Amino acid sequence: MTVLTDLTIAGMKAGLARRDFSAAELTAAHLTAMEQARGLNAFIVETPEIATGQAAAADMALARGEARPLAGIPLGIKDLFCTQGVQTTAGSKILQGFIPQYESTVSGKLLADGAVMLGKLNMDEFAMGSSNETSAYGKVISPWKAENSNRELVPGGSSGGSAAAVAARIAAGATGTDTGGSIRQPAAFVGISGIKPTYGRCSRWGVVAFASSLDQAGPMARTVEDCALLLTSMCGYDAKDSTSLNVPVPDFAAGLTGDLRGKRVGVPKEYRLDGMDATIAKLWDQGLEWLNAAGATIVDVSLPHTKYALPAYYIIAPAEASSNLARYDGVRYGLRVTPPGGNLADMYSATRAAGFGAEVKRRIMIGTYVLSAGYYDAYYTQAQRVRALIARDFEQAWEHCDLLLTPTAPSAAFAFGDKADPLAMYLNDVFTVPSSLAGLPAMSVPAGLSPDGLPLGLQIIGKPLDEAGVLDAGLAIERAANFTAKPL
């Protein structure tokens, strides 16, 4: 029999429906895989008792013919989602020991649809990072290795634990969050699929905030169809989130065809960067050929303000982070450090100094600076104007095309320590940030391997609320690429 952990979510659903195996057996297989892969450090908290109970409930529902869409499917939950009765830290020391008394809307929807929670996945602290090196609970290690090398590779970030767990067959799927590329970049680095839906498609209620106007939850899984299955459960209007969109949620998986006849796919000329890696450029051209073969017409488009996207993002996101993270002061929950003989201000300062890591402190300071008197208009206001221009670029591009195809990341996964310079790390987001600033749906799909055998992804960007179109283009690439490589 096929190893249960190698099945896709769609395959697991079919096997459970046929009673080829039980949810208890499926969960046990993943719990065993989780134990065997602890060296990757993908989980901050493991919840085997909860998973076993949820699997038993799923088996009873299946026996009664009352199974929900994700009954018995073992998932990992990124540690940015509050989970009732289970520690939630956002990868930070300052929230160590924090146990929410409520469930985030997105994780609650997945559990209500029968999913099994294996545990809480490791991540960059407060979702700030592109390599999963900033977590207070240790780095996550990619299950991949380059050919002829034993160097440990980053899984991408901030959803690095989610990416590593799915790629290593520890979890069938996982939740991620994407502020500037934190679903798509790690998905590309480990050879899985991940989609950031339109801003507002998934509720942010119960998700620890980084940058509120950018944060968006989304699924990560091994196939496009699996992402579609998870996305249907994760989406939906939530009155508790003022940015939640009150629009119908289609059955994304049922609507998948991979047929792009009549669709126009744009190629933004500004994404062809000077000095672009030749392998990335070749893969991009190959992806365009695949989409053309699926029926799409390829057109050239321009997004003239693309070069300003990264500078604008690294003003707006830290500014919002400095405001959001002001609540972590040691008073109500989480870490508290009280210096001997100190006053309240001393306690605030000592708590935040001990509780936050270097990258979080860096972004808080940048954000506080750009919001300060005398610099607000020069930096933050200007960045918001640039953001509006970037959004307008996309709106004008949609007059000529229905989707955009770009690389997901400028390189394959790199080794730990190779990008010690923060600016070099920030450049990992060069292809993903523009669509985040515009709030557009975007997806990464594995499309090939680098010369040293590491996964590479292609990114599809769609119009607002056109997740279905993005998923169809992703399916067309998935079928053509026939990416079957997996970590050793």
Side-chain angles (χ1 to χ4, degrees):
M1 186 175 76
T2 302
V3 176
L4 294 181
T5 53
D6 278 340
L7 294 172
T8 63
I9 292 176
M12 292 175 191
K13 281 171 57 70
L16 288 167
R18 292 192 303 265
R19 309 306 285 155
D20 292 345
F21 46 82
S22 67
E25 291 170 325
L26 185 61
T27 296
H30 282 84
L31 291 175
T32 298
M34 184 167 65
E35 292 173 8
Q36 294 171 345
R38 281 182 180 147
L40 299 179
N41 198 32
F43 283 85
I44 293 176
V45 175
E46 298 177 3
T47 56
E49 297 85 0
I50 291 174
T52 301
Q54 291 168 337
D59 278 329
M60 288 190 286
L62 286 160
R64 295 193 302 267
E66 300 173 356
R68 298 289 296 161
L70 296 176
I73 303 299
L75 303 179
I77 305 297
K78 185 177 180 179
D79 202 32
L80 207 64
F81 294 81
C82 289
T83 42
Q84 187 172 12
V86 178
Q87 177 181 267
T88 300
T89 70
S92 180
K93 183 179 177 182
I94 206 165
L95 278 175
Q96 188 170 13
F98 171 59
I99 300 178
Q101 300 306 302
Y102 52 88
E103 190 79 30
S104 78
T105 297
V106 165
S107 57
K109 282 177 170 287
L110 291 169
L111 295 177
D113 272 351
V116 170
M117 184 177 76
L118 298 171
K120 304 298 292 292
L121 291 160
N122 205 346
M123 54 176 283
D124 279 301
E125 185 179 9
F126 283 103
M128 299 180 194
S130 300
S131 63
N132 224 132
E133 291 174 275
T134 72
S135 171
Y137 303 94
K139 64 187 181 185
V140 176
I141 299 168
S142 173
W144 287 83
K145 289 280 181 69
E147 292 178 3
N148 303 315
S149 174
N150 283 321
R151 295 188 72 191
E152 293 179 344
L153 301 177
V154 306
S158 63
S159 305
S162 300
V166 174
R169 276 60 175 169
I170 305 171
T175 63
T177 61
D178 194 308
T179 304
S182 289
I183 286 174
R184 292 162 285 163
Q185 182 249 25
F189 275 12
V190 301
I192 64 171
S193 294
I195 182 169
K196 178 196 82 70
T198 306
Y199 181 79
R201 263 290 196 190
C202 292
S203 171
R204 291 185 300 109
W205 192 85
V207 181
V208 178
F210 164 15
S212 300
S213 73
L214 294 159
D215 298 343
Q216 188 60 196
M220 303 174 75
R222 292 199 296 277
T223 69
V224 172
E225 182 183 15
D226 286 359
C227 283
L229 289 166
L230 295 176
L231 187 61
T232 300
S233 290
M234 294 170 70
C235 289
Y237 175 67
D238 181 7
K240 297 190 292 294
D241 175 6
S242 62
T243 62
S244 178
L245 298 174
N246 193 359
V247 294
V249 178
D251 186 333
F252 293 113
L256 279 173
T257 66
D259 185 352
L260 300 184
R261 285 177 292 182
K263 296 287 187 180
R264 300 163 298 168
V265 175
V267 185
K269 64 181 183 181
E270 291 79 8
Y271 280 54
R272 292 200 182 274
L273 306 175
D274 292 338
M276 175 182 280
D277 184 291
T279 302
I280 300 289
K282 182 179 179 181
L283 185 70
W284 189 5
D285 291 336
Q286 178 66 73
L288 293 169
E289 291 178 15
W290 288 333
L291 294 183
N292 181 244
T297 301
I298 309 301
V299 299
D300 291 324
V301 298
S302 178
L303 301 171
H305 294 93
T306 295
K307 63 183 178 181
Y308 304 115
L310 270 181
Y313 174 84
Y314 279 102
I315 290 172
I316 294 168
E320 295 186 12
S322 72
S323 296
N324 279 325
L325 271 61
R327 72 193 69 179
Y328 304 108
D329 52 16
V331 174
R332 288 157 292 183
Y333 45 76
L335 179 72
R336 176 184 296 183
V337 178
T338 306
N343 57 25
L344 185 62
D346 294 330
M347 187 272 285
Y348 288 159
S349 178
T351 296
R352 291 167 68 82
F356 291 139
E359 182 61 31
V360 172
K361 291 174 183 174
R362 180 181 295 114
R363 299 201 194 192
I364 289 173
M365 288 190 288
I366 292 171
T368 302
Y369 178 80
V370 301
L371 291 176
S372 61
Y375 298 101
Y376 184 94
D377 288 335
Y379 292 102
Y380 185 72
T381 300
Q382 285 292 88
Q384 290 289 18
R385 288 173 177 162
V386 170
R387 183 180 190 175
L389 292 173
I390 290 168
R392 189 179 69 181
D393 286 350
F394 281 106
E395 291 169 4
Q396 292 174 345
W398 300 137
E399 297 174 6
H400 308 285
C401 65
D402 304 292
L403 299 160
L404 297 168
L405 184 72
T406 79
T408 305
S411 70
F414 48 90
F416 288 101
D418 279 1
K419 296 186 185 293
D421 176 8
L423 293 179
M425 191 71 76
Y426 297 165
L427 288 172
N428 275 286
D429 302 330
V430 64
F431 296 128
T432 54
V433 156
S435 52
S436 291
L437 288 170
L440 300 173
M443 180 175 202
S444 181
V445 179
L449 295 172
S450 70
D452 52 1
L454 296 177
L456 299 171
L458 289 174
Q459 175 183 223
I460 307 108
I461 303 170
K463 297 176 181 179
L465 297 175
D466 188 24
E467 287 81 10
V470 170
L471 288 161
D472 261 337
L475 182 60
I477 291 173
E478 181 179 81
R479 287 172 173 171
N482 192 28
F483 185 89
T484 56
K486 69 177 186 176
L488 298 177

